[in-house]
Amino acid sequence: RAVLPEGSSSVQLVSVLWLCRDTKDFDIADTLLEAEYRKYPSKLAVTCVDDDLRNGKMEDNKDVVDAVPDFLPGTMAIVTGPRSFRRKAKQYLLNAGYPNDTICVME
């Protein structure tokens, strides 16, 4: 329900990258993400990209490249979406230097 936990937390930054072919689909959680951002403006970065990348590579999309932070120790990536996207996103993160054990793929 919440992107960031209430109270004290070791979480320093949450980057949300949401890819969608149709921009009207961003409306689904726009209000929730905006409310979370207002509570934690220095800890939450949200990027919405109107491309589902079915026919392209993540590394060819400048918005995606700019939105995915460089790996630093303590970083964890959580990936969800359609199966083909999950595979593509995980491979992108591995190629970007994220160790396999820091990528959680949710089915």
Side-chain angles (χ1 to χ4, degrees):
R1 182 175 165 142
V3 176
L4 289 162
E6 292 290 335
S8 176
S9 170
S10 64
V11 175
Q12 295 178 8
L13 176 66
V14 173
S15 297
V16 176
L17 172 59
W18 188 351
L19 291 104
C20 224
R21 183 175 32 186
D22 192 340
T23 56
K24 70 178 177 160
D25 292 336
F26 293 130
D27 294 341
I28 295 169
D30 182 52
T31 304
L32 281 172
L33 283 173
E34 185 174 349
E36 290 294 305
Y37 179 77
R38 289 180 191 274
K39 283 195 286 188
Y40 308 102
S42 64
K43 286 190 171 192
L44 180 61
V46 178
T47 304
C48 298
V49 177
D50 60 341
D51 186 348
D52 64 3
L53 299 173
R54 288 185 192 181
N55 300 314
K57 295 180 178 181
M58 294 184 84
E59 55 268 20
D60 292 339
N61 186 306
K62 183 181 180 332
D63 293 329
V64 171
V65 173
D66 290 346
V68 175
D70 294 334
F71 177 78
L72 295 171
T75 300
M76 179 178 183
I78 301 172
V79 176
T80 190
R83 182 175 303 160
S84 61
F85 173 78
R86 293 189 312 255
R87 273 186 263 137
K88 193 180 285 193
K90 182 174 182 179
Q91 190 57 55
Y92 174 79
L93 291 166
L94 289 169
N95 292 344
Y98 281 69
N100 190 50
D101 63 350
T102 66
I103 304 169
C104 174
V105 179
M106 301 180 69
E107 298 185 21

